[in-house]
């Protein structure tokens, strides 16, 4: 019979097996963030609607879960974490040592068409570095994202981080004849080069005033290697510091152990208008999924939203696409958390709860039968222990005082091996 009520479209129930996979991702996120020296923060899931309109424009409203609350305020469930980060740091950054290195794992909500890799809610790792201009911060941030993937068992054969620099593309397009007011159109063309036919891209560039040759030259940027860029733009002094930053970025990621994980790709422009420097997106090598992670430098956002002139960079790393990739590669967590011990009384009336408490106080996960029979059936009890996937069955009769002196029979349920020890000895030697 069908369930009377189901989860809303685009939202998920997390049964124990899904929860194990979610926890696998969360553990990797938090472990890497802490190893990279980031501090955890969080904010409310409900914010003022104006906070998102101010950052992204009024068109963002169509993608939000927004409403008027009982106090008459226009509010929205958070679709991203960066505006909250800016609001929070805008209130306290003057008293914080820089750079600020914060991470968060919020649940986010967007009213979008659901498809593989995209739902109407997801969890996301956000890592941001605030108050640092050095390109080494950019490299360290991407290294953290890639380290998450590596810690989950993925390799450079599985994923690639494609990076570019908005400053470089900006200068190159201006040199090729694109005006400042038409840069947004040109960025959009570059962002869709892999999806749109070349002739469509050339037509769109022609519509903003580029000749056929200029449009062709512009599109040739999308296939350039670092060496190509050096040859093409080395004579223009405006490009020199940008190319130097990209070279340092590449070198630093190599030293951090990710030389084989990265690739220059001038098609990476990031759709969000506030990016100002190096940007990146991480994809599966087979090209079967949406971007796994994306981010970059957004030096002007704090000034625009909080009136604070401070450099910043960060990324968002969603759990939905990552979960799909782990399943595709056979790396998603399986199985449950098996208990360490199943305690069995060998005769009626034995207070095994004292043993249960003793073991749990010392960090063991312990099960026992809630219904203790009047007549003991050891075979049936051992079968229950095996069904629970316990590692050991502990058989106890008379209890000693103190409880640690109680003699027990330990049966390893995998090997069938048995031994007689005291409860304290079992605790000391059991790994």
């Amino acid at each position: 019979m069908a369930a009377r009520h189901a989860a809303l479209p685009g939202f998920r129930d997390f049964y124990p097996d899904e929860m194990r996979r979610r926890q696998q991702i969360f553990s990797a996120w938090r472990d890497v963030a802490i190893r990279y020296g980031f501090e955890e923060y969080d904010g409310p899931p409900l914010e003022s609607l104006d906070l998102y309109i101010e950052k992204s424009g009024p068109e963002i409203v169509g993608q939000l879960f927004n409403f008027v609350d009982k106090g008459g305020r226009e509010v929205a469930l958070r679709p991203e974490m960066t505006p909250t980060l800016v609001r929070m740091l805008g209130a306290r950054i003057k008293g914080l040592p820089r750079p600020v290195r914060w991470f968060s794992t919020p649940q986010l909500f967007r009213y979008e068409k659901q498809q593989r890799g995209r739902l109407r809610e997801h969890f996301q790792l956000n890592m941001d570095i605030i108050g640092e201009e050095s390109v080494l911060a950019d490299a360290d941030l991407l290294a953290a994202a890639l380290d998450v993937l590596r810690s989950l068992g993925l390799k450079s054969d599985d994923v690639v981080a494609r990076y570019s620099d908005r400053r470089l593309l900006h200068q190159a397009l201006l040199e090729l004849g694109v005006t400042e007011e038409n840069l947004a159109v040109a960025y959009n063309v570059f962002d869709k080069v892999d999806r749109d036919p070349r002739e469509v891209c050339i037509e769109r560039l022609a519509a903003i005033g580029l000749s056929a040759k200029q449009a062709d030259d512009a599109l040739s940027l999308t296939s350039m290697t670092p060496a190509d860029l050096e040859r093409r733009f080395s004579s223009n002094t405006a490009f020199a510091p940008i190319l130097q930053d990209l070279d340092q970025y590449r070198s630093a990621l190599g030293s951090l152990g990710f030389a084989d994980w990265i690739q220059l790709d001038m098609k990476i422009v990031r759709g969000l208008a506030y990016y100002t420097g190096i940007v990146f997106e991480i994809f599966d090598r087979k090209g079967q999924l949406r971007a796994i992670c994306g981010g970059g430098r957004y030096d002007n956002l704090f000034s625009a939203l909080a009136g604070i002139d401070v450099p910043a960079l960060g990324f968002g790393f969603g759990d939905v696409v990552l979960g799909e990739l782990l399943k595709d590669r056979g790396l998603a967590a399986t199985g449950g958390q098996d208990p360490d011990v199943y305690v069995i009384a060998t005769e009626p009336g034995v207070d095994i709860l004292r043993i249960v408490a003793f073991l749990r106080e010392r960090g063991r996960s312990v099960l026992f039968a809630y219904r203790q029979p009047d007549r003991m059936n050891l075979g049936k009890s051992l079968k229950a222990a095996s069904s629970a996937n316990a590692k050991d069955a502990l058989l106890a009769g008379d209890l000693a005082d103190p409880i640690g002196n109680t003699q027990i029979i330990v049966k390893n349920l995998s090997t069938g091996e048995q031994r007689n020890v005291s409860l304290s000895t079992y605790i000391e030697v059991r790994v």
Side-chain angles (χ1 to χ4, degrees):
M1 184 175 69
R4 184 177 176 185
H5 298 290
L8 291 171
F11 289 77
R12 294 171 290 179
D13 293 317
F14 288 93
Y15 291 91
D17 53 342
E18 286 99 351
M19 199 67 194
R20 283 190 289 274
R21 291 192 284 271
R22 179 175 126 182
Q23 191 56 45
Q24 175 191 21
I25 291 172
F26 272 49
S27 296
W29 282 350
R30 182 165 282 106
D31 174 68
V32 169
I34 291 172
R35 284 196 285 111
Y36 277 66
F38 285 70
E39 294 184 286
E40 189 168 14
Y41 75 100
D42 200 1
L46 197 66
E47 291 273 19
S48 166
L49 180 62
D50 286 343
L51 186 66
Y52 304 112
I53 293 176
E54 189 175 352
K55 174 180 175 288
S56 303
E59 61 274 9
I60 189 68
V61 176
Q63 302 173 29
L64 303 182
F65 286 91
N66 63 293
F67 56 93
V68 177
D69 73 6
K70 293 182 179 180
R73 294 171 289 262
E74 290 191 319
V75 297
L77 290 173
R78 61 188 176 196
E80 57 174 314
M81 198 63 180
T82 306
T84 296
L85 172 70
V86 174
R87 178 181 61 74
M88 291 172 64
L89 282 177
R92 296 197 181 183
I93 195 168
K94 291 182 180 179
L96 296 174
R98 300 185 193 178
V100 175
R101 301 166 62 86
W102 282 7
F103 83 96
S104 185
T105 56
Q107 187 175 23
L108 305 177
F109 306 87
R110 281 184 181 254
Y111 195 83
E112 297 182 304
K113 181 179 179 181
Q114 62 186 85
Q115 51 189 285
R116 190 184 187 208
R118 172 176 282 179
L119 299 172
R120 290 176 175 173
E121 58 79 18
H122 70 281
F123 292 91
Q124 181 170 289
L125 169 64
N126 284 76
M127 295 179 68
D128 294 87
I129 302 174
I130 315 301
E132 180 56 67
E133 296 179 346
S134 172
V135 72
L136 291 181
D138 297 77
D140 202 32
L141 190 74
L142 177 53
L146 291 171
D147 220 344
V148 167
L149 297 168
R150 186 169 63 182
S151 70
L152 288 166
L154 293 158
K155 300 180 174 60
S156 60
D157 292 341
D158 297 305
V159 296
V160 59
R162 299 177 185 163
Y163 69 92
S164 67
D165 195 310
R166 289 286 287 264
R167 299 169 301 167
L168 182 64
L169 189 57
H170 179 98
Q171 291 293 337
L173 291 172
L174 290 179
E175 185 175 279
L176 289 166
V178 179
T179 61
E180 287 277 359
E181 56 267 26
N182 286 323
L183 280 171
V185 176
Y187 288 154
N188 189 262
V189 172
F190 272 63
D191 189 45
K192 296 181 178 178
V193 161
D194 286 337
R195 287 168 280 174
D196 293 341
R198 187 176 181 85
E199 57 270 21
V200 172
C201 296
I202 290 176
E203 286 176 9
R204 294 185 65 195
L205 292 173
I208 59 173
L210 269 62
S211 68
K213 183 180 185 310
Q214 286 174 320
D216 193 65
D217 287 345
L219 292 178
S220 71
L221 293 171
T222 63
S223 59
M224 283 189 174
T225 65
D228 294 333
L229 289 172
E230 291 282 355
R231 286 191 294 269
R232 176 67 176 81
F233 298 112
S234 60
S235 61
N236 188 326
T237 57
F239 289 90
I242 305 171
L243 292 171
Q244 184 178 3
D245 278 352
L246 284 173
D247 185 61
Q248 187 179 9
Y249 183 72
R250 209 164 41 246
S251 176
L253 281 159
S255 296
L256 289 167
F258 295 102
D260 296 335
W261 299 66
I262 62 173
Q263 175 186 322
L264 177 72
D265 186 345
M266 294 298 291
K267 299 187 295 296
I268 302 299
V269 297
R270 300 290 291 152
L272 301 174
Y274 61 77
Y275 285 108
T276 59
I278 293 175
V279 291
F280 69 86
E281 292 182 357
I282 303 176
F283 296 89
D284 69 293
R285 292 273 190 184
K286 295 180 180 179
Q288 297 173 332
L289 298 166
R290 303 168 57 85
I292 304 165
C293 173
R297 184 167 284 276
Y298 54 92
D299 285 344
N300 299 332
L301 189 62
F302 273 83
S303 177
L305 295 186
I308 301 170
D309 188 13
V310 59
L313 61 153
F315 68 70
F317 199 144
D319 73 312
V320 179
V321 180
L322 178 56
E324 293 287 343
L325 179 61
L326 293 175
K327 285 189 282 187
D328 286 353
R329 300 295 188 274
L331 295 171
T334 58
Q337 180 61 51
D338 295 333
D340 295 315
V341 178
Y342 195 102
V343 180
I344 299 169
T346 57
E347 54 188 76
V350 177
D351 187 8
I352 60 171
L353 296 185
R354 291 179 61 196
I355 296 177
V356 170
F358 180 87
L359 292 169
R360 286 175 175 168
E361 286 169 4
R362 286 152 183 80
R364 302 299 189 270
S365 58
V366 185
L367 292 180
F368 63 97
Y370 291 142
R371 296 183 181 183
Q372 293 294 321
D374 293 332
R375 302 181 65 181
M376 304 312 299
N377 186 325
L378 186 57
K380 190 173 182 180
S381 296
L382 288 171
K383 184 177 180 180
S386 294
S387 297
N389 292 319
K391 299 179 181 69
D392 292 332
L394 265 60
L395 284 62
D398 292 334
L399 303 187
D401 192 15
I403 191 67
N405 291 338
T406 297
Q407 295 296 306
I408 56 172
I409 298 172
V410 180
K411 182 179 180 68
N412 185 303
L413 294 173
S414 296
T415 66
E417 177 188 358
Q418 290 190 184
R419 66 187 191 278
N420 290 46
V421 295
S422 71
L423 196 55
S424 292
T425 300
Y426 172 74
I427 285 290
E428 291 170 4
V429 301
R430 184 71 173 93
V431 177

